[in-house]
Amino acid sequence: MAEVRGFDESKVDDAGLNESIKKLTPEKIQRVVQRVFNKESAARLQVYLNTCVHCGLCAEACHTYVSRDHDPRFAPVSKVRDTIWELIKNKGKVEPEKIKDMARIAFTECGACRRCSMYCPFGIDIAYLILVMRRICNLLGVVPKYLQDTTNSHAATMNQMWVHQDEWIDTLQWQEEEAQFEMPNVRIPLDKEGADVMYSVIAPEPKILAQLLGNMAQIMTVAGIDWTMPATDGWDNSNMAMYSGDFEVMGRVEKLHWETAARLKVKKVVMGECGHAFRGAVYDGPRWLGWQYPPIPMVHAIEFYYDLLKSGRIKVKEKYKEHVTVQDPCNTVRGRGLGHKLRYVIDQLCENFTDIDPRFEHNYCCGAGGGTINCGPPWKPTRMRSTRVKAEQFERTGAGVIITPCHNCHSGIEDIVGHYGLGMHVKFINEIMVDVMEKPEDMG
Ligand code: SF4
Ligand code: SF4
Ligand code: SF4
C-alpha cells in the first residue's frame, strides 16, 4: 500500500498557522487561554483533565495512532498532553511557536470522531478537549487557512462555499429540469409554507454535486412527500465554524437555519447525507444557542430513507448488483445510533453487501472528519498517513463500492481510494436509491 514518505508535518506551509503566530504575544495568549478556561469551559474540562490517569487504553482506538505504526505522539492522550495540559501546566504562558504546534495537532491530527471515548474506562471525551484547544486557536486567529476560508464563507454568505443567492435558485431550477427528463412531474417546491418536510442540504451539493438535488427531487416525488426547500439563505446546514472554533459564526448559521424552517412552518426538517451538519444542527448548535432541543424535529437522510422503504412509499424494482460495503459515519452512527437503520436501507437496496469490520459505533473514522479535510491540500498527506487502517479495513471487504452517507466521509474516502490504489467507487445512498426504485412508469 502507498506510503507518504519524507513528509514533515511541522514544516507544512500554511499561512493560517505560520503567518498568524507572528501577530501573537505571550500576553495575548495568556489572556485568551484564561478566558476560555475560566469563562467558557468550566467544570467539564476540569473533570476530564482530573479524571484521566494517562493509562493509554484509548490509544488503539485512534486511526491516526494505529495507521502511524503506534507512534506515541498520535495517541489521544498525547494530543491532549501536548495541547490543553501544556497550557494548564504553564497557566497559558507559552510562546507563539508552541501555539502553532498545538494548532497543528488540534486541527489536523484529530478528527473529533470520538472513537477513543468509547475505549476510555472513564468515557473521557478527548474530542471535546481538542475542540476547546481549537476554540483557543480561533480566538488567537491561528486556524488553517482553508478551514478559515470556509468559516469566512459561512459568515459572509451563510453557506460554506460562497454560493450566491441567484446561483442557488438557478441550480435548483436546473436540477428540476434534469429530473424532469426522468419524470415529467418532478418539482422542487421553493418556500412552500406549511409543507410536511423542509429538505436542507450542505453547500457542496449545489456547488459540485448538484445531481444529488435532482435525485432527491425524484425520490420525494415518487414517495409522494409534501416538501419544500428554502429559496433564501438558511438552506445550508453545514457548519465548519463549529470545527474552526468560531462558535459565534456557528451559532449564526444554526439560528438562521432553524429560523428558516420556522418561517416556512414545516412539520419537520430532513437533512441530506452529511454527518457533521447533523451534529451541528441537532446538538452543538442548539446548545451554544442555549436551546434544549432544536425547535422543529430533524431527521437525517438515513432515517428518512428507512421510513420510506419500511412504509413502502419507495419500492425497489431491482436491487443494485455491485458488491458494496459501507462507511458508518461517526456523527450519525456513533453519535446518533443509526447503524441498524443504515443496514436495513442497504439490505433493501443492494443485493451483495459485505459489512465493514469493525462496524457500527466501533467503526474507524474516515480521517476527513472534524474539519480535517477542510484544512485543504497542504494537509492532505497528513490525512493519508493517518488513514492506512481505514484503507485496510475497506480492502478486506473485497467490495467494489463503498456506500458513504456523509459528505466529508465521501470526499475523504475518495482520497483514500485514490491514494492507496483500492480501485473502489464511493457512492451516496441517494445515487443508488434513484437507480433502483420503482418509478411511475414501472408502477403501471
Ligand atoms: S481522531 Fe478520534 S480517536 Fe483519534 S484522538 Fe481524535 S477523537 Fe480520539
Ligand atoms: S483518556 Fe481515558 S483511556 Fe485515555 S489515557 Fe486518559 S484515562 Fe486512559
Ligand atoms: S467525516 Fe465521516 S467518518 Fe469522519 S468524523 Fe465525520 S462522520 Fe466520522
Side-chain angles (χ1 to χ4, degrees):
M1 279 198 166
E3 295 280 347
V4 184
R5 294 187 191 282
F7 180 75
D8 181 350
E9 268 101 357
S10 66
K11 297 199 168 50
V12 170
D13 184 17
D14 185 326
L17 308 190
N18 301 348
E19 295 302 314
S20 307
I21 58 163
K22 293 180 184 162
K23 296 177 200 145
L24 297 182
T25 60
E27 294 71 36
K28 180 169 181 189
I29 296 170
Q30 202 175 9
R31 216 170 38 245
V32 165
V33 169
Q34 296 302 338
R35 166 183 160 175
V36 173
F37 284 172
N38 297 333
K39 297 198 172 141
E40 292 191 15
S41 41
R44 192 173 166 199
L45 180 74
Q46 291 305 326
V47 168
Y48 285 156
L49 294 176
N50 293 337
T51 310
C52 178
V53 291
H54 305 209
C55 65
L57 284 174
C58 52
E60 283 291 334
C62 182
H63 60 282
T64 69
Y65 171 81
V66 180
S67 296
R68 290 165 185 258
D69 300 324
H70 303 91
D71 182 337
R73 287 173 302 160
F74 290 85
V77 69
S78 306
K79 295 174 197 175
V80 176
R81 180 200 61 204
D82 295 341
T83 56
I84 292 288
W85 265 321
E86 179 93 5
L87 288 176
I88 290 195
K89 196 173 74 195
N90 294 301
K91 298 193 171 56
K93 279 191 206 152
V94 297
E95 292 300 316
E97 195 63 30
K98 235 344 173 210
I99 292 292
K100 181 179 127 187
D101 292 339
M102 292 176 177
R104 188 197 70 239
I105 294 168
F107 286 110
T108 74
E109 295 174 7
C110 172
C113 75
R114 291 181 167 147
R115 190 170 193 266
C116 50
S117 310
M118 295 195 322
Y119 294 81
C120 169
F122 307 110
I124 291 171
D125 188 351
I126 296 275
Y128 164 76
L129 299 172
I130 293 293
L131 292 178
V132 171
M133 186 65 227
R134 291 189 189 186
R135 173 67 171 164
I136 291 168
C137 292
N138 170 267
L139 293 172
L140 291 170
V142 183
V143 175
K145 191 171 63 134
Y146 281 81
L147 181 60
Q148 185 59 48
D149 187 54
T150 60
T151 303
N152 294 347
S153 176
H154 279 302
T157 67
M158 299 312 283
N159 72 75
Q160 190 199 133
M161 300 194 97
W162 303 95
V163 177
H164 296 287
Q165 181 68 17
D166 56 343
E167 222 184 314
W168 166 243
I169 302 289
D170 280 356
T171 306
L172 293 180
Q173 285 178 342
W174 163 47
Q175 281 306 310
E176 185 179 76
E177 285 163 20
E178 288 290 317
Q180 284 170 351
F181 284 116
E182 296 291 325
M183 265 182 266
N185 60 335
V186 171
R187 294 280 179 276
I188 300 183
L190 292 184
D191 259 9
K192 181 180 172 199
E193 269 195 24
D196 287 343
V197 165
M198 178 178 107
Y199 182 52
S200 73
V201 295
I202 72 167
E205 295 207 8
K207 198 75 177 179
I208 50 179
L209 290 160
Q211 77 280 6
L212 296 177
L213 294 162
N215 290 351
M216 191 50 115
Q218 291 186 55
I219 292 168
M220 292 284 188
T221 302
V222 170
I225 303 294
D226 173 25
W227 72 299
T228 190
M229 294 188 83
T232 57
D233 291 343
W235 53 264
D236 180 17
N237 57 30
S238 69
N239 206 329
M240 277 303 140
M242 171 172 79
Y243 288 141
S244 72
D246 192 335
F247 298 152
E248 289 75 14
V249 172
M250 172 188 77
R252 280 178 58 210
V253 170
E254 299 302 344
K255 189 158 178 279
L256 180 65
H257 180 257
W258 286 115
E259 281 174 355
T260 304
R263 173 176 66 77
L264 292 176
K265 302 185 178 69
V266 294
K267 297 192 181 62
K268 73 176 169 193
V269 177
V270 172
M271 68 160 290
E273 296 178 47
C274 185
H276 91 272
F278 191 76
R279 172 175 172 172
V282 175
Y283 300 111
D284 294 35
R287 268 181 218 143
W288 175 259
L289 291 165
W291 305 346
Q292 193 172 6
Y293 302 109
I296 295 168
M298 172 180 262
V299 296
H300 186 267
I302 296 171
E303 296 166 283
F304 185 59
Y305 300 145
Y306 172 88
D307 288 341
L308 295 184
L309 290 163
K310 191 91 182 164
S311 64
R313 278 176 174 259
I314 292 288
K315 293 193 173 61
V316 174
K317 185 181 168 196
E318 193 178 8
K319 287 189 179 183
Y320 186 65
K321 293 204 174 350
E322 295 287 327
H323 184 188
V324 302
T325 188
V326 69
Q327 164 68 359
D328 285 303
C330 310
N331 285 315
T332 47
V333 171
R334 188 154 38 252
R336 178 80 163 186
L338 298 183
H340 289 284
K341 288 190 174 175
L342 177 56
R343 289 336 181 261
Y344 177 87
V345 170
I346 293 172
D347 282 344
Q348 293 298 305
L349 301 179
C350 301
E351 202 169 88
N352 186 4
F353 170 56
T354 300
D355 215 335
I356 198 86
D357 176 34
R359 62 186 189 147
F360 293 105
E361 66 274 22
H362 296 286
N363 191 29
Y364 285 110
C365 174
C366 64
T372 50
I373 195 168
N374 300 74
C375 293
W379 301 99
K380 185 177 170 189
T382 295
R383 269 194 299 123
M384 295 302 99
R385 291 177 97 186
S386 293
T387 47
R388 198 187 66 214
V389 67
K390 190 77 234 176
E392 290 167 353
Q393 199 192 11
F394 286 134
E395 197 172 41
R396 280 198 301 275
T397 67
V401 172
I402 306 161
I403 296 176
T404 60
C406 166
H407 274 275
N408 281 347
C409 300
H410 197 278
S411 306
I413 292 168
E414 279 184 335
D415 286 344
I416 292 171
V417 166
H419 179 79
Y420 289 98
L422 298 182
M424 301 165 97
H425 296 284
V426 191
K427 276 191 178 286
F428 291 101
I429 298 172
N430 164 315
E431 296 173 283
I432 295 178
M433 183 176 265
V434 84
D435 275 350
V436 305
M437 70 185 180
E438 276 187 3
K439 294 185 181 165
E441 68 269 24
D442 310 313
M443 296 173 187

PDB file of all heavy atoms in Angstrom, residues 61-64 76 79 109-116 126-127, ligand 1:
ATOM      1  N   ALA A  61      -7.668   2.936  19.844  1.00  0.00           N
ATOM      2  CA  ALA A  61      -8.928   3.334  19.215  1.00  0.00           C
ATOM      3  C   ALA A  61      -8.724   4.349  18.107  1.00  0.00           C
ATOM      4  O   ALA A  61      -9.595   4.532  17.260  1.00  0.00           O
ATOM      5  CB  ALA A  61      -9.870   3.920  20.274  1.00  0.00           C
ATOM      6  N   CYS A  62      -7.593   5.015  18.113  1.00  0.00           N
ATOM      7  CA  CYS A  62      -7.421   6.162  17.214  1.00  0.00           C
ATOM      8  C   CYS A  62      -6.762   5.750  15.896  1.00  0.00           C
ATOM      9  O   CYS A  62      -5.660   5.188  15.888  1.00  0.00           O
ATOM     10  CB  CYS A  62      -6.580   7.237  17.901  1.00  0.00           C
ATOM     11  SG  CYS A  62      -6.391   8.700  16.865  1.00  0.00           S
ATOM     12  N   HIS A  63      -7.444   6.074  14.799  1.00  0.00           N
ATOM     13  CA  HIS A  63      -6.919   5.681  13.485  1.00  0.00           C
ATOM     14  C   HIS A  63      -5.571   6.340  13.187  1.00  0.00           C
ATOM     15  O   HIS A  63      -4.756   5.783  12.469  1.00  0.00           O
ATOM     16  CB  HIS A  63      -7.933   6.025  12.384  1.00  0.00           C
ATOM     17  CG  HIS A  63      -8.270   7.478  12.302  1.00  0.00           C
ATOM     18  ND1 HIS A  63      -9.145   8.083  13.178  1.00  0.00           N
ATOM     19  CD2 HIS A  63      -7.841   8.452  11.473  1.00  0.00           C
ATOM     20  CE1 HIS A  63      -9.233   9.364  12.869  1.00  0.00           C
ATOM     21  NE2 HIS A  63      -8.467   9.617  11.844  1.00  0.00           N
ATOM     22  N   THR A  64      -5.340   7.531  13.752  1.00  0.00           N
ATOM     23  CA  THR A  64      -4.061   8.198  13.452  1.00  0.00           C
ATOM     24  C   THR A  64      -2.908   7.440  14.124  1.00  0.00           C
ATOM     25  O   THR A  64      -1.845   7.246  13.534  1.00  0.00           O
ATOM     26  CB  THR A  64      -4.052   9.673  13.918  1.00  0.00           C
ATOM     27  OG1 THR A  64      -4.045   9.724  15.338  1.00  0.00           O
ATOM     28  CG2 THR A  64      -5.259  10.432  13.404  1.00  0.00           C
ATOM     29  N   PRO A  76      -4.396   9.485  21.591  1.00  0.00           N
ATOM     30  CA  PRO A  76      -5.287  10.580  22.006  1.00  0.00           C
ATOM     31  C   PRO A  76      -4.781  11.329  23.232  1.00  0.00           C
ATOM     32  O   PRO A  76      -4.784  12.564  23.273  1.00  0.00           O
ATOM     33  CB  PRO A  76      -6.613   9.860  22.286  1.00  0.00           C
ATOM     34  CG  PRO A  76      -6.576   8.663  21.388  1.00  0.00           C
ATOM     35  CD  PRO A  76      -5.139   8.234  21.335  1.00  0.00           C
ATOM     36  N   LYS A  79      -2.145  13.820  22.461  1.00  0.00           N
ATOM     37  CA  LYS A  79      -2.618  15.050  21.816  1.00  0.00           C
ATOM     38  C   LYS A  79      -3.130  16.041  22.866  1.00  0.00           C
ATOM     39  O   LYS A  79      -2.965  17.251  22.719  1.00  0.00           O
ATOM     40  CB  LYS A  79      -3.731  14.719  20.816  1.00  0.00           C
ATOM     41  CG  LYS A  79      -3.239  13.881  19.655  1.00  0.00           C
ATOM     42  CD  LYS A  79      -4.371  13.437  18.749  1.00  0.00           C
ATOM     43  CE  LYS A  79      -3.909  12.294  17.869  1.00  0.00           C
ATOM     44  NZ  LYS A  79      -4.934  11.715  17.035  1.00  0.00           N
ATOM     45  N   GLU A 109      -4.624  16.607  13.361  1.00  0.00           N
ATOM     46  CA  GLU A 109      -4.266  15.263  13.816  1.00  0.00           C
ATOM     47  C   GLU A 109      -5.359  14.624  14.657  1.00  0.00           C
ATOM     48  O   GLU A 109      -5.194  13.522  15.178  1.00  0.00           O
ATOM     49  CB  GLU A 109      -2.931  15.322  14.577  1.00  0.00           C
ATOM     50  CG  GLU A 109      -1.793  15.726  13.641  1.00  0.00           C
ATOM     51  CD  GLU A 109      -0.462  15.946  14.315  1.00  0.00           C
ATOM     52  OE1 GLU A 109      -0.342  15.659  15.531  1.00  0.00           O
ATOM     53  OE2 GLU A 109       0.471  16.434  13.642  1.00  0.00           O
ATOM     54  N   CYS A 110      -6.474  15.326  14.824  1.00  0.00           N
ATOM     55  CA  CYS A 110      -7.645  14.747  15.494  1.00  0.00           C
ATOM     56  C   CYS A 110      -8.884  15.165  14.723  1.00  0.00           C
ATOM     57  O   CYS A 110      -9.068  16.354  14.454  1.00  0.00           O
ATOM     58  CB  CYS A 110      -7.753  15.229  16.940  1.00  0.00           C
ATOM     59  SG  CYS A 110      -9.307  14.717  17.720  1.00  0.00           S
ATOM     60  N   GLY A 111      -9.716  14.207  14.367  1.00  0.00           N
ATOM     61  CA  GLY A 111     -10.940  14.499  13.609  1.00  0.00           C
ATOM     62  C   GLY A 111     -12.169  14.591  14.493  1.00  0.00           C
ATOM     63  O   GLY A 111     -13.293  14.572  13.981  1.00  0.00           O
ATOM     64  N   ALA A 112     -11.967  14.664  15.798  1.00  0.00           N
ATOM     65  CA  ALA A 112     -13.094  14.789  16.747  1.00  0.00           C
ATOM     66  C   ALA A 112     -14.131  13.686  16.528  1.00  0.00           C
ATOM     67  O   ALA A 112     -15.322  13.896  16.686  1.00  0.00           O
ATOM     68  CB  ALA A 112     -13.739  16.171  16.612  1.00  0.00           C
ATOM     69  N   CYS A 113     -13.639  12.480  16.194  1.00  0.00           N
ATOM     70  CA  CYS A 113     -14.567  11.392  15.847  1.00  0.00           C
ATOM     71  C   CYS A 113     -15.128  10.683  17.074  1.00  0.00           C
ATOM     72  O   CYS A 113     -16.075   9.907  16.965  1.00  0.00           O
ATOM     73  CB  CYS A 113     -13.865  10.385  14.943  1.00  0.00           C
ATOM     74  SG  CYS A 113     -12.683   9.309  15.801  1.00  0.00           S
ATOM     75  N   ARG A 114     -14.495  10.853  18.203  1.00  0.00           N
ATOM     76  CA  ARG A 114     -14.944  10.305  19.486  1.00  0.00           C
ATOM     77  C   ARG A 114     -14.834   8.778  19.601  1.00  0.00           C
ATOM     78  O   ARG A 114     -15.432   8.193  20.492  1.00  0.00           O
ATOM     79  CB  ARG A 114     -16.385  10.713  19.788  1.00  0.00           C
ATOM     80  CG  ARG A 114     -16.528  12.192  20.077  1.00  0.00           C
ATOM     81  CD  ARG A 114     -17.959  12.503  20.374  1.00  0.00           C
ATOM     82  NE  ARG A 114     -18.117  13.817  20.936  1.00  0.00           N
ATOM     83  CZ  ARG A 114     -19.177  14.576  20.724  1.00  0.00           C
ATOM     84  NH1 ARG A 114     -20.160  14.134  19.970  1.00  0.00           N
ATOM     85  NH2 ARG A 114     -19.282  15.756  21.288  1.00  0.00           N
ATOM     86  N   ARG A 115     -14.081   8.148  18.732  1.00  0.00           N
ATOM     87  CA  ARG A 115     -13.937   6.696  18.884  1.00  0.00           C
ATOM     88  C   ARG A 115     -13.178   6.394  20.180  1.00  0.00           C
ATOM     89  O   ARG A 115     -13.485   5.442  20.886  1.00  0.00           O
ATOM     90  CB  ARG A 115     -13.185   6.111  17.678  1.00  0.00           C
ATOM     91  CG  ARG A 115     -13.200   4.597  17.650  1.00  0.00           C
ATOM     92  CD  ARG A 115     -12.670   4.051  16.338  1.00  0.00           C
ATOM     93  NE  ARG A 115     -12.955   2.639  16.196  1.00  0.00           N
ATOM     94  CZ  ARG A 115     -12.125   1.670  16.528  1.00  0.00           C
ATOM     95  NH1 ARG A 115     -10.939   1.938  17.010  1.00  0.00           N
ATOM     96  NH2 ARG A 115     -12.472   0.403  16.366  1.00  0.00           N
ATOM     97  N   CYS A 116     -12.197   7.229  20.486  1.00  0.00           N
ATOM     98  CA  CYS A 116     -11.369   6.961  21.673  1.00  0.00           C
ATOM     99  C   CYS A 116     -12.192   7.009  22.961  1.00  0.00           C
ATOM    100  O   CYS A 116     -11.912   6.274  23.908  1.00  0.00           O
ATOM    101  CB  CYS A 116     -10.194   7.926  21.734  1.00  0.00           C
ATOM    102  SG  CYS A 116     -10.634   9.655  21.536  1.00  0.00           S
ATOM    103  N   ILE A 126     -12.181  13.020  24.565  1.00  0.00           N
ATOM    104  CA  ILE A 126     -10.960  13.671  24.066  1.00  0.00           C
ATOM    105  C   ILE A 126     -11.316  14.710  22.998  1.00  0.00           C
ATOM    106  O   ILE A 126     -10.709  15.783  22.918  1.00  0.00           O
ATOM    107  CB  ILE A 126     -10.000  12.618  23.470  1.00  0.00           C
ATOM    108  CG1 ILE A 126      -9.526  11.658  24.558  1.00  0.00           C
ATOM    109  CG2 ILE A 126      -8.842  13.280  22.715  1.00  0.00           C
ATOM    110  CD1 ILE A 126      -8.361  12.078  25.376  1.00  0.00           C
ATOM    111  N   ALA A 127     -12.302  14.379  22.174  1.00  0.00           N
ATOM    112  CA  ALA A 127     -12.672  15.304  21.094  1.00  0.00           C
ATOM    113  C   ALA A 127     -13.099  16.652  21.676  1.00  0.00           C
ATOM    114  O   ALA A 127     -12.791  17.709  21.120  1.00  0.00           O
ATOM    115  CB  ALA A 127     -13.795  14.714  20.250  1.00  0.00           C
TER     116      ALA A 127
HETATM  117  S1  SF4 B   1      -9.167  11.321  15.920  1.00  0.00           S
HETATM  118 FE1  SF4 B   1     -10.881  10.354  17.009  1.00  0.00          FE
HETATM  119  S2  SF4 B   1      -9.961   8.611  18.071  1.00  0.00           S
HETATM  120 FE2  SF4 B   1      -8.264   9.971  17.474  1.00  0.00          FE
HETATM  121  S3  SF4 B   1      -7.925  11.330  19.232  1.00  0.00           S
HETATM  122 FE3  SF4 B   1      -9.353  12.382  17.903  1.00  0.00          FE
HETATM  123  S4  SF4 B   1     -11.399  11.829  18.663  1.00  0.00           S
HETATM  124 FE4  SF4 B   1      -9.935  10.354  19.507  1.00  0.00          FE
END
